[in-house]
């Protein structure tokens, strides 16, 4: 049997580890986060495709019910100072932001919670030469992949329906949705690492509902008095909605940079936190 | 880049190794060295600190005190590098239940950064080694306990580790599955893989380990080969006699002089002696007729009882 190499020669895995070990941060990061994405791909290929499909259907249901159904009573709305669009076109970009958030939150909370506490997946992975940052980044990248599938599929429906006034803005909305997903996924991962029970997981769901209702997805937040409006505008989903809506209207301005900066802070903060938490949970 | 001098054969060196959690000391200052190709066993009851020691070696638990070097590197600072040289078989299987048998092996190889071609060839060898070729496309949940265990071991071998760590490898398996597993582990040992095994089964320790430490309450109680430990701490044979739980203590005084040492347990008396049959006959000559009697060779179980005053499996 040729199963083991001659004992004095280095294994291929050891050679790889030698190459990585001299790089900065090698004790927490092996530059191998993509392995987690590969795992995600294998898992959805064989067992999770239904769940992925349902995540794509959800915004379509909203669009059908609210955009076209309720929208027929509403008619056209003022999307910003210069654009008047159909209600469906007002709602559609918000649904893209929502689906980016939902995909990222679902993957980084429920799925990660299950993998952490029941499947013991991370214990298995932490026994390999992966570091905690590989796991954290990899899980986030898997969330992004899911979000990307949703975003492309949803955009493929919205564009032909004429719901995107500015086509190039619609294309830019896809990477923008990834930004939103990154921010939510990394924060979701950090939060999930603190949760101990399914009851606590419900709190996450509980927090998401008002965020959706008061995000400016369905109507402009201008209807509220200024102090409340400012408070609501600071919530992350509103930032995402404003970012995507601005892009689909072809409205490039400094406000968009502000929204991008918002999600950059969320993403970086979340990654740092999540890495520390994974280290604390599995390497102590 | 490889700083491990190939001349030295010390794979693992621990001195004064300690691990404490808040107010509980799991590992209380242990020293040991494991050399290349050795099969090293940690023997002790549940809660002795075996698994904690294993986790510290696997760099998934940081020590509180002492030093721990694996292949010449500190476990605190080179976790991923060290783990690239290890194969870890945890006490509870943590296979990826969303993936098939083959995918489990494949993705584990990817976690080590191995190339697809390399892994695919390796997977075939490992499936054969683990006798799972026919189950290659099965989901993990459909495997029996023994198969899952073999898959976990195969998975731990995907990176061709120099050290394979097995935490209670056969706990919960039926006798036949245990023997299949022992056979596989014995082959690995023959191939020169260094094995670190924890167990609370004596027969397992005797089958697989070249050298053992007996661990209890975070400390090493004794160290040696299985045969050496028995020789050092026990007589050659043991007579187990039962007089009924009421009479055991009373009879003990009448037979104390026949044995090198007596151990009075709630349900039986263990008489340590050099010639069991002879001394059992002498006992009967004195008119003492036990309800049941058994003469056997001393085992590691007896060593453990001697050292800790407790039996291994509670």
């Amino acid at each position: 049997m040729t199963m083991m190499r001659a004992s004095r020669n280095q294994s291929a895995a050891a050679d790889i580890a030698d190459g990585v070990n001299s790089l900065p941060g090698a004790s927490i990061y092996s530059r191998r986060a993509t392995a987690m994405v590969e795992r995600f791909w294998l898992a959805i290929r064989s067992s999770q495709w239904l769940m992925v499909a349902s995540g794509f259907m959800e915004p379509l249901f909203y669009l059908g019910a609210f955009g076209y159904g309720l929208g027929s009573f509403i008619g056209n709305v003022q999307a910003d100072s210069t654009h008047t669009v159909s209600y469906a076109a007002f709602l559609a970009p918000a649904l893209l932001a929502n689906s980016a958030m939902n995909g990222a939150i679902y993957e980084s909370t429920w799925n990660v919670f299950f993998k952490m506490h029941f499947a013991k997946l991370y214990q298995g992975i932490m026994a390999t030469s992966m570091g905690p940052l590989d796991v954290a980044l990899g899980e986030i990248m898997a969330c992004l992949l899911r979000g990307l599938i949703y975003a492309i599929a949803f955009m493929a429906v919205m564009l032909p329906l004429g719901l995107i006034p500015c086509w190039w803005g619609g294309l830019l909305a896809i990477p923008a949705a990834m930004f939103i997903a990154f921010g939510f996924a990394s924060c979701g991962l950090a939060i999930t690492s603190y949760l101990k029970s399914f009851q606590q997981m419900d709190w996450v769901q509980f927090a998401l509902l008002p965020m959706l209702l008061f995000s400016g997805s369905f109507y402009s937040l201008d209807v509220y008095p200024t102090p409340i409006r400012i408070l609501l505008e600071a919530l992350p989903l509103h930032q995402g909605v404003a970012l995507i809506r601005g892009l689909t209207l072809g409205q490039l301005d400094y406000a968009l940079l502000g929204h991008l900066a918002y999600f950059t802070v969320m993403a970086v903060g979340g990654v740092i936190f999540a890495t520390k938490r994974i280290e604390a949970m599995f390497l102590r | 880049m490889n700083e491990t001098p190939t001349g030295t054969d010390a794979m693992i060196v621990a001195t004064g190794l300690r691990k404490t959690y808040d107010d509980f000391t799991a590992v209380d200052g242990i020293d040991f060295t494991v050399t290349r190709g050795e099969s090293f066993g940690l023997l002790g009851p549940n809660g002795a600190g075996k698994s904690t020691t294993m986790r510290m070696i696997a760099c998934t638990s940081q020590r509180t005190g002492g030093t721990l070097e694996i292949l010449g590197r500190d476990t605190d600072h080179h976790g991923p590098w060290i783990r690239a040289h290890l194969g870890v078989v945890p006490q509870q299987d943590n296979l990826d239940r969303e993936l098939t048998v083959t995918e489990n092996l494949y993705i584990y190889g990817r976690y080590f950064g191995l190339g697809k071609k390399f892994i695919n060839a390796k997977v075939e060898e490992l499936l054969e080694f683990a006798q799972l070729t026919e189950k290659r496309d099965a989901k993990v949940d459909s495997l029996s306990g023994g198969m899952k265990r073999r898959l976990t071991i195969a998975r731990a071998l995907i990176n061709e580790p120099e050290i394979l760590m097995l935490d209670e490898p056969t706990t919960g398996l039926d006798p036949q599955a245990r023997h299949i597993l022992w056979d596989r582990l014995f082959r690995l040992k023959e191939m020169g893989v260094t094995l670190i095994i924890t167990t609370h089964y004596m027969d397992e320790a005797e089958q697989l380990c070249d050298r053992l430490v007996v661990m209890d309450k975070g400390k090493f109680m004794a160290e040696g080969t299985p045969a050496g430990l028995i020789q050092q701490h026990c007589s050659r044979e043991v007579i187990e006699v039962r007089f009924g739980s009421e009479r055991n203590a009373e009879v003990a005084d009448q037979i104390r002089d026949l044995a090198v040492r007596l151990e009075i347990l709630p349900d039986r008396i263990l008489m340590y002696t050099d010639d069991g049959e002879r001394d059992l006959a002498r006992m009967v000559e004195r008119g003492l007729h036990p309800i049941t009697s058994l003469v056997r060779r001393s085992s590691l179980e007896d060593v453990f009882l001697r050292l800790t005053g407790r039996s291994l499996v509670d």
Side-chain angles (χ1 to χ4, degrees), chain A residues 186-227:
Chain A
S186 57
C187 288
L189 193 58
I191 291 167
T192 304
S193 69
Y194 283 100
L195 303 183
K196 300 266 182 288
S197 68
F198 279 108
Q199 281 77 11
Q200 292 174 327
M201 294 292 297
D202 281 340
W203 299 350
V204 174
Q205 292 308 116
F206 184 70
L208 289 181
L209 182 66
M211 194 144 77
L212 168 65
L213 295 176
F214 299 107
S215 62
S217 292
F218 302 105
Y219 52 88
S220 166
L221 293 179
D222 292 340
V223 298
Y224 296 117
T226 308

Side-chain angles (χ1 to χ4, degrees), chain A residues 82-241:
Chain A
T82 52
H83 292 81
T84 303
V85 295
S86 72
Y87 185 67
F90 176 79
L91 184 63
L95 292 176
L96 180 59
N98 261 291
S99 97
M101 176 187 81
N102 282 335
I105 290 286
Y106 188 86
E107 188 70 36
S108 68
T109 57
W110 285 101
N111 278 0
V112 166
F113 187 79
F114 181 79
K115 290 180 211 166
M116 242 173 216
H117 298 285
F118 297 95
K120 310 264 177 220
L121 183 75
Y122 302 126
Q123 279 92 332
I125 294 174
M126 293 311 299
T128 72
S129 55
M130 297 271 276
L133 183 58
D134 295 287
V135 174
L137 272 183
E139 280 296 27
I140 291 164
M141 285 161 65
C143 296
L144 293 189
L145 183 60
R146 178 192 283 266
L148 184 66
I149 298 168
Y150 291 170
I152 291 175
F154 190 58
M155 195 52 80
V157 176
M158 291 201 294
L159 270 173
L161 285 175
L163 297 177
I164 311 295
C166 170
W167 67 269
W168 53 263
L171 294 183
L172 282 178
I174 291 174
M178 297 298 93
F179 243 82
I180 297 168
F182 202 142
F184 277 107
S186 57
C187 288
L189 193 58
I191 291 167
T192 304
S193 69
Y194 283 100
L195 303 183
K196 300 266 182 288
S197 68
F198 279 108
Q199 281 77 11
Q200 292 174 327
M201 294 292 297
D202 281 340
W203 299 350
V204 174
Q205 292 308 116
F206 184 70
L208 289 181
L209 182 66
M211 194 144 77
L212 168 65
L213 295 176
F214 299 107
S215 62
S217 292
F218 302 105
Y219 52 88
S220 166
L221 293 179
D222 292 340
V223 298
Y224 296 117
T226 308
I228 293 178
R229 182 176 58 84
I230 290 172
L231 189 74
L232 294 176
E233 282 180 355
L235 293 176
L237 184 55
H238 173 265
Q239 296 284 324
V241 169

Side-chain angles (χ1 to χ4, degrees), chain B residues 207-224:
Chain B
Q207 288 259 351
L208 295 174
C209 300
D210 302 323
R211 189 159 62 94
L212 283 173
V213 290
V214 177
M215 198 168 183
D216 191 36
K217 294 175 182 156
K219 289 196 163 92
F220 286 171
M221 311 296 288
E223 185 175 344

Side-chain angles (χ1 to χ4, degrees), chain B residues 155-290:
Chain B
R155 189 183 70 165
L157 295 171
I158 194 88
N159 58 322
E160 301 180 323
E162 287 165 79
I163 304 170
L164 183 63
M165 323 246 310
L166 300 134
D167 198 355
E168 302 197 3
T170 65
T171 297
L173 298 187
D174 63 52
Q176 196 199 353
R178 294 181 78 198
H179 280 281
I180 295 175
L181 208 64
W182 284 346
D183 167 64
R184 299 291 110 171
L185 295 177
F186 209 79
R187 286 191 196 201
L188 290 173
K189 187 165 142 52
E190 285 176 333
M191 290 175 212
V193 180
T194 306
L195 300 180
I196 318 280
I197 301 166
T198 77
T199 183
H200 53 234
Y201 295 124
M202 299 299 119
D203 46 355
E204 188 157 285
E206 278 167 331
Q207 288 259 351
L208 295 174
C209 300
D210 302 323
R211 189 159 62 94
L212 283 173
V213 290
V214 177
M215 198 168 183
D216 191 36
K217 294 175 182 156
K219 289 196 163 92
F220 286 171
M221 311 296 288
E223 185 175 344
T225 62
L229 281 171
I230 293 167
Q231 201 175 13
Q232 197 182 340
H233 297 281
C234 282
S235 58
R236 214 169 67 92
E237 294 189 332
V238 191
I239 313 173
E240 292 194 18
V241 285
R242 291 168 204 260
F243 288 93
S245 48
E246 254 116 81
R247 279 192 70 208
N248 279 345
E250 174 196 330
V251 174
D253 286 334
Q254 301 174 47
I255 56 176
R256 201 173 292 279
D257 61 307
L258 290 176
V260 181
R261 192 166 56 84
L262 276 191
E263 199 73 65
I264 304 156
L265 303 179
D267 62 330
R268 65 209 142 115
I269 303 173
L270 304 182
M271 300 171 64
Y272 292 92
T273 149
D274 290 321
D275 186 340
E277 293 298 343
R278 180 196 66 198
D279 293 329
L280 182 61
R282 282 185 189 167
M283 184 172 73
V284 175
E285 278 167 27
R286 291 182 184 180
L288 296 165
H289 297 282

Side-chain angles (χ1 to χ4, degrees), chain A residues 5 21 38-39 48 124 128, chain B residues 73 96 98 106 108 160:
Chain A
R5 77 215 126 72
N21 200 45
E38 216 178 331
R39 187 219 161 256
Q48 291 191 347
T128 72
Chain B
R73 295 199 188 186
D96 198 326
E98 290 179 84
Y106 170 81
Y108 222 64
E160 301 180 323

Side-chain angles (χ1 to χ4, degrees), chain B residues 68-218:
Chain B
L68 178 58
E69 284 191 358
I70 297 172
L71 298 164
R73 295 199 188 186
D74 190 314
T75 51
D76 273 359
H77 305 297
H78 297 280
W81 184 88
I82 290 169
R83 291 199 297 270
H85 296 76
L86 303 181
V88 178
V89 178
Q91 200 168 330
Q92 285 178 320
D93 292 324
N94 54 15
L95 294 162
D96 198 326
R97 293 168 56 192
E98 290 179 84
L99 306 182
T100 65
V101 168
T102 307
E103 287 169 344
N104 258 282
L105 296 174
Y106 170 81
I107 198 66
Y108 222 64
R110 298 295 285 163
Y111 296 147
F112 284 101
L114 296 166
K116 295 180 187 186
K117 232 171 117 183
F118 177 91
I119 297 174
N120 287 333
K122 194 83 201 156
V123 163
E124 296 307 314
E125 287 174 24
L126 289 173
L127 285 174
E128 198 176 318
F129 175 77
Q131 295 165 301
L132 288 169
T133 308
E134 285 165 22
K135 292 279 180 184
R136 57 185 307 140
D137 294 321
K139 278 277 164 75
V140 167
D141 280 338
S142 70
L143 302 181
S144 71
M147 288 175 180
K148 281 183 188 162
R149 216 68 192 130
R150 296 206 299 276
L151 178 57
T152 305
I153 292 173
R155 189 183 70 165
L157 295 171
I158 194 88
N159 58 322
E160 301 180 323
E162 287 165 79
I163 304 170
L164 183 63
M165 323 246 310
L166 300 134
D167 198 355
E168 302 197 3
T170 65
T171 297
L173 298 187
D174 63 52
Q176 196 199 353
R178 294 181 78 198
H179 280 281
I180 295 175
L181 208 64
W182 284 346
D183 167 64
R184 299 291 110 171
L185 295 177
F186 209 79
R187 286 191 196 201
L188 290 173
K189 187 165 142 52
E190 285 176 333
M191 290 175 212
V193 180
T194 306
L195 300 180
I196 318 280
I197 301 166
T198 77
T199 183
H200 53 234
Y201 295 124
M202 299 299 119
D203 46 355
E204 188 157 285
E206 278 167 331
Q207 288 259 351
L208 295 174
C209 300
D210 302 323
R211 189 159 62 94
L212 283 173
V213 290
V214 177
M215 198 168 183
D216 191 36
K217 294 175 182 156

